[in-house]
Structure formats: C-alpha cells, structure tokens
Amino acid sequence: MEEKMRKSSKMICGILMALVLSVALPTTSYADTTEIEESIKQKQEAIAQAEADKKKLQSNLTDVKNIVKNLENEKSNLEAYVTKLDQNLTDVEEKIAELKKLISEKEEEIATTSEELQEAEEQEKEQYESMKKRIKFLYEKGDAFYLELLFKAQSFGEFINKADYIEKLSSYDNNLLEEYTKNKEFIAACKEELEAEQEVLNEAKAKVDEEQKNLETLISSKEQEIYKYAGDISEREKAIKEYENDIAVQNATIQALEKAVAEEKKKLAEENGTTSITYDGGMFKWPAPSYTRISDDYGTRIHPILNVEQFHNGIDMAAPGGSPILAAYDGEVVAASYNSSMGNYIMINHGDGLYTIYMHASALYVSQGATVARGDKIAAVGSTGRSTGNHLHFSVRLNGSYVSPWNYLSK
C-alpha cells in the first residue's frame, strides 16, 4: 500500500515538474502580431517607392540649353518660333504642376506617418510598463508561485484548470513580448519611411525651384526675340505689319466664334422659342486676384515695343505665372484653345452679345462647352503667345465690338 502511494506521489511530482517546465519554455504565437507585420510590410513598400520617386526626380529635369538650341532654326519665322517655344513652356508648366502635386502628396504622407509613429511610440511605452510589472511580479514570486498555485488545488479537476490557467498566462507573456518586439520594428520602419519621404519632399521642392528658373529662362528668351525682331530698324515696317495682321487674325477668330454662337442662338429660338444665355447686368469679378499692377490699360496707346500708336483692346494685369484666372461672370465657354498671338486663351459667352476673353494663359482648366460661374478658376496666368512677361490680357466685347472692361469690373 505504501509502495503504491510512493509511486503515485512520484507520478504527480513528475506531472507537476513537466507543467512547470512547459510554462517556463517560450512558446511563439503570431496571432496578435499579424496586423503589425502587415503594417511593417506596407512601410517597407512605401520606403521602396520613395527611393524610386527620388531617383525619378533626379533624372527628369528640363534641358533648357537643348531647347534653346533647337529653337535657333525657328527664329527667322517669329510665329513658328513662338508656337514651338510655347509648346515647351506648356511641358515645363506640366512638370511644375506634377511636382507640386507630389509635394502635396508627400506632405500628407509625412503627416500620416508622423501620427502612426506617435501612436506606436505611445503603445510601446504602455507595453513596456506592463511588461515591467509582469517581470517584477515573476521575479518576486519565482517558480514557487506556479507550484503553490497547483498544490492549492482541492481536486484533480481544479488542478487541471489551474494548470491550464498557468499555460495561458505564459502564452500571454510570450505574446506580449512578441507584440512589443514587432511594435519596435514598426517604429523603426516608420522612422525610416519618414526620412525617405522627407528626402523626396526636399528633392521635389528643389526641382520646382529649378523648373521655375527654366520657365523664366524660356520666357526671357522669347521676350528678347520679340524685342529684337520688333526693334530691328530694317524690319520695323514688317514688324508693324505683322502685328496688325496678328490683331486681324485675333479679331477674325473671335468674330467667327461670335457668329457661331449667334447661329446656335437663332437655331434654338427657331426650334423651341428659347435662347441659351442672358446677361442680368451684374458686375464682373476681378479675373486676376493675384495681380500686382495694370501693365497696360484699355484704349489708344503707344505700343511698348513697336513705338507706334495702336489701339489696345483690353487690360493687361501683371500677375505671377501660375496664379489663378477667374471667370468674370456666369456664362458658357465658347473657346478654350491656342493661338500664336493670343497664346492659350478662353472666350466666355455671357449672353445678350456680351463676351469676355482671357489671353496668354500658362494652362487652361476648362474646355469648350463648359458652363462656368462668376469666380470659377478657369486658367492660370502665363506668357504664351505674343507676350513678353507673365500677365493676363482681359478683354470685353459687346455686340461685335471691344468695349472698356472698366464698365463692368468691380475690384
């Protein structure tokens, strides 16, 4: 009988030691860290993308010297020269717009990553404090804590339940450590991503400055060529004639557009007795909110280049390149196109024979047939066409003739 009891005691002790050893050994569980691992993977992909963006930025700068060299053959024909140079201006403007978009995206990504980093660091502190308490508890209690817990069992069923509890407690400790380790990896990835994104942001800002200088160089080249061409005494009469021809072409283009609108209006009236648009008499919105001065007013003046008396059919509003051009009033866009004299231009029908025209834009944001409201952004200030600097040439026509924009404008 005593022998049986000794064997039973040895068996129970063996079970106890096995349980103690099993809970002391680390058991890895990734069930609680899958989400963190996925986040780390996303950060690594973002870092790789940032590196690719940086390399692309470093090898995608406009070659101004090559552009100017290729334009040399076009200088004998000013119209062809201006048209070709404006195409390059448009390309540079598009690059600048893409860079500014990238800058905006990177700033948003940096803000998001900074928030993620802050949250992860706060979580790391909480995890660290929790683990300190657990370690302190285990150090103070030692292995005897587990044995004492088991020996206090009142029945074999309670013994099994407590053994299961100890196993879960150990698993919890291991999971907590694993999560803490992964969170540290995530923090490191966040910091690396922030650094990579900041490098791309800095590179993009530097490239915007460089491309802006390239843009100014091309505009300056065109300005010099226009002045040189018009200032040549032997070519002066030819230059004046060409200027007059340009104005005639402008007028013919605009008159053709007005005629097309009138025919459409007549057709609508015949079909259903309605007209398309009517002007309600309201004052216009100032179309260049970023303007710095009126560089040339409406009316008869001495042409600044040709030095002859000419009629100026609009107001020139000097404004920074790329700054907004707004629709002066509600209406329908009847033209959004390019002309070697007007450059990128927009013409809006406001009804009852009233039109506004916006010339020399660097970019157009609306197309023919679009309906616009007073104050809508329709284009960006530029220096395309026969222009010698960034400005908006703003004209108003009423019943087929140019009229003073000051009759309609309110600042």
Side-chain angles (χ1 to χ4, degrees):
M1 186 68 176
E2 288 179 4
E3 183 66 25
K4 286 184 179 179
M5 287 182 69
R6 279 198 300 272
K7 287 182 179 179
S8 297
S9 297
K10 285 181 180 181
M11 185 176 69
I12 291 170
C13 286
I15 293 170
L16 287 172
M17 290 303 295
L19 285 167
V20 171
L21 287 172
S22 71
V23 297
L25 291 171
T27 57
T28 304
S29 172
Y30 292 91
D32 299 328
T33 58
T34 304
E35 188 176 337
I36 300 176
E37 287 178 340
E38 183 60 33
S39 296
I40 292 170
K41 183 181 176 182
Q42 290 173 1
K43 292 299 170 193
Q44 290 169 341
E45 290 172 354
I47 292 164
Q49 183 60 52
E51 290 297 327
D53 288 341
K54 187 179 175 183
K55 286 181 182 178
K56 184 179 177 182
L57 285 170
Q58 291 170 341
S59 61
N60 196 29
L61 195 66
T62 301
D63 188 350
V64 174
K65 288 183 180 179
N66 192 43
I67 289 172
V68 172
K69 182 181 177 181
N70 291 336
L71 284 168
E72 283 295 323
N73 296 332
E74 305 292 344
K75 287 185 177 180
S76 59
N77 184 331
L78 188 60
E79 182 179 340
Y81 172 81
V82 167
T83 300
K84 196 163 185 178
L85 190 144
D86 282 346
Q87 290 172 355
N88 289 289
L89 284 179
T90 299
D91 291 341
V92 178
E93 288 280 4
E94 288 176 354
K95 280 187 180 180
I96 291 173
E98 288 174 4
L99 286 167
K100 287 181 176 178
K101 182 183 177 184
L102 179 62
I103 288 170
S104 179
E105 288 173 353
K106 286 301 165 189
E107 286 174 339
E108 287 180 8
E109 287 172 10
I110 287 171
T112 300
T113 306
S114 297
E115 288 177 6
E116 290 175 337
L117 176 59
Q118 185 178 353
E119 289 175 5
E121 287 177 334
E122 289 174 359
Q123 187 176 1
E124 180 198 22
K125 289 178 183 178
E126 292 175 4
Q127 288 173 330
Y128 181 71
E129 290 301 318
S130 178
M131 287 178 65
K132 272 205 313 185
K133 290 177 182 178
R134 289 287 301 140
I135 291 168
K136 182 182 178 183
F137 175 82
L138 291 173
Y139 176 78
E140 290 173 350
K141 297 293 182 179
D143 290 341
F145 164 72
Y146 294 110
L147 292 171
E148 183 182 351
L149 187 66
L150 290 168
F151 279 128
K152 283 184 179 180
Q154 299 298 315
S155 66
F156 187 74
E158 187 180 348
F159 176 87
I160 295 299
N161 287 338
K162 287 188 176 183
D164 184 56
Y165 168 75
I166 291 171
E167 186 177 1
K168 286 180 179 178
L169 192 63
S170 177
S171 179
Y172 166 80
D173 288 338
N174 288 324
N175 287 340
L176 191 66
L177 178 61
E178 180 68 19
E179 189 177 345
Y180 177 77
T181 303
K182 290 295 179 184
N183 197 43
K184 291 278 284 185
E185 289 180 29
F186 179 69
I187 288 171
C190 283
K191 289 179 178 178
E192 189 178 350
E193 185 191 2
L194 275 176
E195 186 178 341
E197 286 174 341
Q198 190 63 53
E199 286 179 3
V200 174
L201 180 62
N202 293 339
E203 189 75 29
K205 286 181 176 179
K207 286 294 178 284
V208 165
D209 291 339
E210 290 180 47
E211 289 292 4
Q212 198 66 50
K213 289 176 184 176
N214 290 336
L215 192 68
E216 290 167 6
T217 298
L218 291 176
I219 291 173
S220 178
S221 296
K222 181 168 69 169
E223 180 180 348
Q224 291 172 20
E225 200 60 33
I226 290 173
Y227 273 103
K228 180 183 174 183
Y229 185 82
D232 189 337
I233 299 298
S234 63
E235 297 286 341
R236 188 167 181 273
E237 288 186 10
K238 181 182 176 182
I240 292 171
K241 189 177 175 82
E242 283 196 2
Y243 172 78
E244 290 173 344
N245 286 338
D246 274 344
I247 297 299
V249 170
Q250 280 187 29
N251 290 338
T253 300
I254 290 164
Q255 286 167 0
L257 290 165
E258 289 175 334
K259 183 179 178 182
V261 171
E263 289 175 353
E264 181 64 24
K265 181 179 177 181
K266 182 180 178 182
K267 183 180 177 182
L268 286 171
E270 288 174 352
E271 289 178 354
N272 51 32
T274 61
T275 57
S276 53
I277 303 171
T278 56
Y279 173 57
D280 61 11
M283 295 300 287
F284 286 176
K285 179 84 173 178
W286 191 261
S290 301
Y291 88 105
T292 54
R293 62 189 173 87
I294 301 299
S295 56
D296 210 350
D297 209 343
Y298 172 83
T300 301
R301 51 84 196 251
I302 300 298
H303 193 281
I305 300 175
L306 299 173
N307 200 31
V308 293
E309 189 174 81
Q310 294 285 340
F311 173 69
H312 189 235
N313 61 29
I315 298 172
D316 286 350
M317 301 173 183
S323 57
I325 296 174
L326 310 181
Y329 211 71
D330 304 348
E332 181 183 353
V333 177
V334 295
S337 188
Y338 176 83
N339 174 286
S340 63
S341 176
M342 294 184 283
N344 293 316
Y345 74 97
I346 289 172
M347 183 172 174
I348 300 175
N349 173 24
H350 303 287
D352 299 323
L354 184 65
Y355 296 84
T356 51
I357 305 162
Y358 314 74
M359 301 183 191
H360 309 304
S362 60
L364 305 179
Y365 303 139
V366 293
S367 54
Q368 183 179 358
T371 299
V372 295
R374 182 181 186 272
D376 282 354
K377 187 176 178 180
I378 57 172
V381 171
S383 186
T384 54
R386 291 286 185 98
S387 168
T388 54
N390 288 313
H391 73 285
L392 167 63
H393 177 99
F394 177 69
S395 296
V396 179
R397 284 175 68 88
L398 179 64
N399 297 325
S401 299
Y402 286 103
V403 294
S404 175
W406 297 113
N407 297 336
Y408 299 89
L409 281 170
S410 61
K411 291 187 182 180

